[in-house]
Amino acid sequence: MSNQMNRLLGDTPGRTIVKLLVVSLIVGFVMAVFDLRPFDIFYGLRDFILDLWHRGFDALGAVGDYLLAGAIIVIPAFILLRLFSFRRS
């Protein structure tokens, strides 16, 4: 069991805990220097995803406008061409 735990953690549990504590202390210090809070990062990521989501739908709205404008010309032209080709047959 101990060998499997060491392989999973990459080292002994005690050494892994010490490494995680040291890295957490360094990261916490750097975040304090730059005045970052964990929730600021979380909210920033959430806002980024929401902005991307909303801008994506805006882009789809513009594509829909182009599609509708093109369809106003293409669909009647298609119907007229089909009617004229049907009369020739």
Side-chain angles (χ1 to χ4, degrees):
M1 177 72 177
S2 177
N3 193 21
Q4 291 174 345
M5 183 65 79
N6 290 349
R7 193 169 45 169
L8 174 69
L9 296 175
D11 208 347
T12 62
R15 288 175 57 109
T16 302
I17 290 171
V18 169
K19 288 178 187 179
L20 289 173
L21 286 173
V22 170
V23 171
S24 295
L25 182 66
I26 294 169
V27 169
F29 176 75
V30 170
M31 288 178 66
V33 166
F34 290 109
D35 196 30
L36 291 173
R37 304 285 179 254
F39 280 112
D40 292 341
I41 296 170
F42 173 74
Y43 291 136
L45 181 62
R46 183 197 63 177
D47 292 342
F48 172 74
I49 292 171
L50 287 175
D51 286 344
L52 189 63
W53 182 268
H54 293 300
R55 290 180 197 272
F57 281 118
D58 287 343
L60 289 178
V63 169
D65 291 343
Y66 296 145
L67 182 66
L68 185 61
I72 289 172
I73 302 298
V74 170
I75 300 296
F78 174 76
I79 292 171
L80 288 175
L81 289 172
R82 294 299 291 170
L83 284 174
F84 288 133
S85 69
F86 180 71
R87 288 188 182 180
R88 285 190 209 160
S89 302

